[in-house]
Amino acid sequence: MLPPHNGEIMHLNVGGTRFSTSRQTLTWVPDSFFTALLSGRISSLRDDTGAIFIDRDPKVFAIILNYLRTHDIDLSGTDIRTLRHEAEFYGIMPLVKRLILCEDLEQSSCGDILFYSMLPAPNPPMQESEIISNAAKVDDQTRPGSIVRVPEPAPPPNSPSSIPHTHGYQSRCHSRNSSLDISRVTVNGRGSVINGRGNGNSGHSRAASLGNHVPNHHSRNSSADLNKYIRNDALNLVFGYNQGSNWADPLRVQIIKAHHNWIVVAYAHFIVCYRLKDSSGWQQVFTSPHIDNCIERIAINAKMNSQNGNSDGSSVMVAISYGNQVRLWGVSEQGSRTNIGTFNLNVRVEHLFFIGSQLVALSPTGKIGVWHAMTQHWQTQDVVPIASFDTAGSFLLLGCNNGSIYYIDMQKFPLRMKDNDLLVTELYRDASNDPITAISVYLTPKTSVSGNWIEIAYGTSSGTVRVIVQHPETVGHGPQLFQTFTVHQSSVTKVTLSEKFLVSVCSEYNHVRTWSVTRFRGMISTQPGSTPVASFKILSLEEVEPCISYCAGNDCGPYGEQDDEQVFVQKVMPETSELFVRLASNGKRVCIIRAVDCTIITCFCVHECEGSSRMGSRPRRFILTGHCNGAIQMWDLTTALDLANKCLQPIPNGGPTAEELLRLLDQCDLSNSHCSTPSISPYPGMLISKGNTARLKASNVAFLNQSQQTDASTSTSSL
């Protein structure tokens, strides 16, 4: 116990740096770390000179001590986040409140200039068994072709039934206190917390420093975390979900897909469709019945207008898959559902998409399923195991494990059948017979219906990238090899051939290489040929055991039309509220997307919306982000690209800086892996789910093991 003299000079040793001050200065703020230390409520350590030792950062402590002396603060050259963290540790609440206000100057629940609007979380549908027991037996077992009017769930109190409209697009600003709304907040769907401090945000609190895991965002949202757990308990009681290893949060957005002016959002056990109306903006028009199985893939095919609708009167076709099952619905503009059918691929569906009105389901094992709108016929076909695919017009091109590229013409699907099999034609065979792990097709402006003037870029498992071209004079002889690149040392996972660039991505931390493409009259030219442009990485960490729909909802791209600027969307952490948008041509940063309510971004997609029918309205590109609380946030990518091109704001080169990456990796642990791309997991001391371990790139394992052996040898020698 120190003698109680207010004027006593106190000597402190903070992180090896000595400070001298008075007791009165240290105890100016009541109920702080220093009052507890000097009163004996916290045990103290002393160095050889008798100074009280505090194991903290001396540079930041100097700023805090100066605040206690002068009651003023100088923030020049100071990181507010770090200063707030230390102020919370020392319990200097007047300073903490001021720093929170400084942070709020750059943060708003209304978002920044790129935030466009938000679609609130929908009400989950009741299970089919409950509907049957309480009403007429209206469920998804209705005979195919029948039309069922699905009543929309009642909107929550004090909320509009439709989304307000601005400039032909939905524009509903997020409420500042919406994170406190119990009906719209859920916990992490996999029952785990990435950083042990709430929703994976990067802020700090004094309690967190002392070992109490409390939310780290601003105090105005502090009650939201409690509401998350209350919300989960309520959903478990109502829907009977079991938070085991296979439990999925019913309101966690899994996948987002869009086509024309329609959006389909997949949750664990239901989907929701939104349609853009000129007069009222985005409106929820359809909610599917409850699906017992977890939805793994979705696809959507919308018509431009109702006059061009499908034969059954629907304006959009929506498909889902789970396991080997595929379910297809037709949805009208008024929300009426037509049950088209349930189909079986006999193996797990890995890819689900439309080519025109044809629904296609693929499995890497070599299974193809096709549903044709005209014949209303579902047909499956066994082919060579598939490693990649791409579409061009009515063509489906398949890159296979035997080194061949095959194609199917879906436009002639009803006629071109042989022995009740799809007519699968071999287009090209790689000279090395390497598996075709990535493929991209570019149809030049002079492409005819027969498929001439076609350019194909493909990557192989050995890291080779090739470009093959079929000109009119080569018809009948197949495409000819145009160019070969051998810059990748790992398997190529993505390749995109556009009007101006060739982009390839390999599996080593998503390493990207880009080349400029020279064209003459629209055709790729050898003079001067392809020129290297950039080399960069799109680091994207995954959990060891991610949800099966994670890859479908978090594909980094590149996104964009082949004749437009393409972008990568980089999601560094699986549980994060930030996305880095980068140009696909050179990797430069376009913008950072930050969730306006600090919620975890669970999935995303890029979509060009047709816009309003008003004169002068132009299409706009949006980034749609799904969140752990069930909401959809929309971001104006067109504006972001315009600002980047005008250089109105400084744009760093590449993705996250070292400081940004370390902040994102805070409280996470990386360990060894045999994979070429690392994975992430929660910090070991904060794990609450079983079996979560993190993974590092295999080439770093030897270095880590060597470091561990060196540390062990040092410890042994010291003993």
Side-chain angles (χ1 to χ4, degrees):
M1 185 72 178
L2 298 174
H5 298 294
N6 291 334
E8 180 182 352
I9 296 178
M10 306 301 302
H11 300 286
L12 305 176
N13 181 348
V14 181
T17 302
R18 291 181 58 85
F19 295 89
S20 296
T21 185
S22 67
R23 172 187 289 269
Q24 183 178 4
T25 298
L26 291 179
T27 58
W28 170 64
V29 177
D31 195 22
S32 66
F33 169 84
F34 300 109
T35 58
L37 178 68
L38 298 181
S39 64
R41 288 179 292 167
I42 297 179
S43 59
S44 61
L45 297 177
R46 295 182 179 272
D47 62 10
D48 296 339
T49 64
I52 300 176
F53 178 75
I54 302 176
D55 192 13
R56 305 298 293 185
D57 187 345
K59 294 182 179 179
V60 182
F61 177 77
I63 301 175
I64 294 177
L65 180 58
N66 188 64
Y67 171 78
L68 294 177
R69 289 168 173 166
T70 65
H71 304 176
D72 195 8
I73 188 72
D74 182 12
L75 295 179
S76 58
T78 303
D79 182 68
I80 296 180
R81 171 179 169 268
T82 302
L83 181 58
R84 178 188 168 189
H85 174 74
E86 292 298 293
E88 287 176 338
F89 172 82
Y90 292 115
I92 313 300
M93 298 314 298
L95 179 58
V96 171
K97 293 178 181 179
R98 286 163 173 75
L99 295 176
I100 288 178
L101 182 59
C102 292
E103 289 181 335
D104 280 346
L105 293 177
E106 298 181 357
Q107 299 179 2
S108 171
S109 58
C110 295
D112 56 16
I113 189 175
L114 302 180
F115 178 63
Y116 199 82
S117 56
M118 175 181 288
L119 300 174
N123 295 324
M126 299 178 62
Q127 294 189 21
E128 294 285 340
S129 57
E130 299 181 22
I131 299 177
I132 294 175
S133 61
N134 297 324
K137 294 185 177 181
V138 180
D139 59 15
D140 205 43
Q141 303 300 323
T142 309
R143 59 185 177 84
S146 61
I147 298 179
V148 180
R149 175 63 181 175
V150 181
E152 295 187 17
N158 300 326
S159 65
S161 58
S162 62
I163 309 303
H165 170 71
T166 301
H167 304 300
Y169 303 93
Q170 176 259 352
S171 60
R172 181 179 186 274
C173 290
H174 174 60
S175 170
R176 180 178 180 88
N177 295 323
S178 61
S179 60
L180 304 180
D181 185 354
I182 189 172
S183 65
R184 295 177 54 190
V185 182
T186 63
V187 76
N188 182 334
R190 277 162 281 182
S192 63
V193 179
I194 284 296
N195 66 357
R197 296 177 180 172
N199 282 340
N201 302 324
S202 57
H204 295 276
S205 66
R206 178 170 183 259
S209 303
L210 298 178
N212 297 324
H213 308 315
V214 299
N216 55 355
H217 39 71
H218 296 339
S219 59
R220 66 172 182 264
N221 294 328
S222 60
S223 62
D225 295 81
L226 178 60
N227 291 335
K228 294 176 184 178
Y229 295 96
I230 297 175
R231 177 62 170 165
N232 271 341
D233 293 340
L235 289 171
N236 293 339
L237 292 175
V238 174
F239 296 101
Y241 296 120
N242 178 21
Q243 291 196 39
S245 58
N246 296 325
W247 182 85
D249 189 335
L251 280 183
R252 183 185 179 97
V253 181
Q254 306 288 339
I255 311 174
I256 305 175
K257 297 291 183 182
H259 191 217
H260 295 321
N261 289 347
W262 285 77
I263 298 174
V264 59
V265 182
Y267 298 85
H269 298 283
F270 67 99
I271 64 171
V272 175
C273 291
Y274 299 90
R275 185 171 74 91
L276 177 62
K277 296 183 179 180
D278 286 346
S279 59
S280 55
W282 289 100
Q283 285 192 334
Q284 179 181 335
V285 297
F286 171 72
T287 301
S288 75
H290 175 89
I291 307 298
D292 291 335
N293 302 85
C294 286
I295 298 173
E296 300 171 1
R297 300 290 185 268
I298 59 174
I300 181 172
N301 178 44
K303 299 298 181 181
M304 289 296 293
N305 51 59
S306 58
Q307 284 74 19
N308 297 328
N310 300 307
S311 58
D312 56 13
S314 58
S315 298
V316 61
M317 289 189 295
V318 182
I320 66 171
S321 71
Y322 44 87
N324 55 7
Q325 298 292 316
V326 177
R327 298 179 72 169
L328 180 60
W329 295 302
V331 180
S332 69
E333 294 183 355
Q334 292 72 34
S336 298
R337 182 184 86 236
T338 302
N339 299 301
I340 297 177
T342 301
F343 315 108
N344 193 343
L345 190 62
N346 297 319
V347 293
R348 181 180 293 278
V349 177
E350 186 66 27
H351 302 284
L352 190 67
F353 54 93
F354 282 94
I355 300 180
S357 298
Q358 287 69 251
L359 175 65
V360 181
L362 292 182
S363 170
T365 60
K367 200 81 170 181
I368 303 177
V370 179
W371 179 87
H372 198 278
M374 294 182 61
T375 62
Q376 301 283 308
H377 178 65
W378 170 262
Q379 185 176 352
T380 60
Q381 175 67 37
D382 290 319
V383 295
V384 179
I386 303 169
S388 59
F389 74 97
D390 192 21
T391 62
S394 62
F395 289 92
L396 171 63
L397 282 86
L398 305 174
C400 297
N401 286 347
N402 63 352
S404 292
I405 298 175
Y406 299 88
Y407 75 91
I408 304 173
D409 189 352
M410 294 296 174
Q411 189 175 16
K412 301 178 180 179
F413 169 79
L415 302 178
R416 300 188 65 179
M417 298 178 62
K418 180 180 179 181
D419 300 330
N420 200 36
D421 286 341
L422 294 175
L423 189 57
V424 182
T425 305
E426 185 178 37
L427 181 65
Y428 184 82
R429 178 178 287 271
D430 181 72
S432 303
N433 295 325
D434 290 334
I436 309 298
T437 54
I439 187 170
S440 174
V441 183
Y442 179 78
L443 298 179
T444 67
K446 294 185 178 181
T447 300
S448 63
V449 178
S450 60
N452 298 334
W453 297 80
I454 186 173
E455 302 169 0
I456 300 174
Y458 70 88
T460 68
S461 59
S462 63
T464 302
V465 177
R466 304 186 194 273
V467 179
I468 58 177
V469 179
Q470 179 169 298
H471 291 205
E473 58 270 18
T474 64
V475 173
H477 302 283
Q480 302 298 312
L481 180 62
F482 178 78
Q483 203 164 5
T484 300
F485 304 92
T486 56
V487 296
H488 293 293
Q489 303 303 310
S490 302
S491 175
V492 178
T493 58
K494 296 175 181 292
V495 63
T496 299
L497 179 61
S498 64
E499 181 181 5
K500 298 180 180 180
F501 296 98
L502 170 64
V503 180
S504 64
V505 185
C506 77
S507 60
E508 182 183 347
Y509 295 108
N510 288 334
H511 178 212
V512 182
R513 287 295 304 267
T514 65
W515 297 266
S516 63
V517 175
T518 304
R519 295 189 176 276
F520 178 72
R521 295 181 179 178
M523 297 299 301
I524 193 169
S525 174
T526 57
Q527 300 296 331
S530 302
T531 304
V533 175
S535 174
F536 55 94
K537 293 181 179 180
I538 307 292
L539 177 64
S540 179
L541 304 176
E542 297 180 1
E543 290 179 318
V544 176
E545 297 180 358
C547 175
I548 196 169
S549 61
Y550 182 85
C551 293
N554 294 272
D555 185 9
C556 67
Y559 292 95
E561 299 296 330
Q562 292 179 321
D563 58 350
D564 201 355
E565 187 75 72
Q566 296 183 331
V567 297
F568 283 108
V569 180
Q570 183 176 5
K571 184 180 180 183
V572 179
M573 297 283 294
E575 304 284 288
T576 181
S577 60
E578 295 183 3
L579 298 176
F580 294 84
V581 183
R582 305 171 63 180
L583 294 176
S585 57
N586 53 29
K588 290 186 177 181
R589 183 183 301 181
V590 176
C591 64
I592 299 180
I593 300 298
R594 292 187 177 93
V596 295
D597 52 0
C598 299
T599 55
I600 294 172
I601 298 175
T602 57
C603 61
F604 57 86
C605 78
V606 178
H607 177 59
E608 182 174 285
C609 193
E610 309 301 334
S612 171
S613 60
R614 297 184 179 93
M615 182 177 299
S617 177
R618 63 166 180 155
R620 300 192 70 84
R621 298 170 68 182
F622 293 95
I623 297 179
L624 310 176
T625 57
H627 296 258
C628 61
N629 62 357
I632 305 296
Q633 297 181 17
M634 304 181 68
W635 308 85
D636 192 342
L637 180 58
T638 298
T639 298
L641 290 171
D642 290 343
L643 293 175
N645 293 331
K646 294 177 181 178
C647 296
L648 296 181
Q649 53 187 0
I651 302 176
N653 291 328
T657 62
E659 293 76 11
E660 291 171 332
L661 181 60
L662 291 176
R663 175 175 55 83
L664 291 171
L665 293 175
D666 185 29
Q667 295 299 322
C668 291
D669 187 40
L670 298 173
S671 63
N672 302 348
S673 171
H674 297 292
C675 300
S676 59
T677 300
S679 293
I680 199 70
S681 79
Y683 185 71
M686 299 179 180
L687 290 177
I688 60 175
S689 59
K690 183 179 180 181
N692 283 329
T693 58
R695 301 180 294 183
L696 270 181
K697 182 184 171 186
S699 59
N700 295 331
V701 173
F703 173 76
L704 292 176
N705 292 337
Q706 182 180 1
S707 300
Q708 294 173 359
Q709 294 173 1
T710 303
D711 294 341
S713 301
T714 303
S715 300
T716 303
S717 60
S718 62
L719 293 176

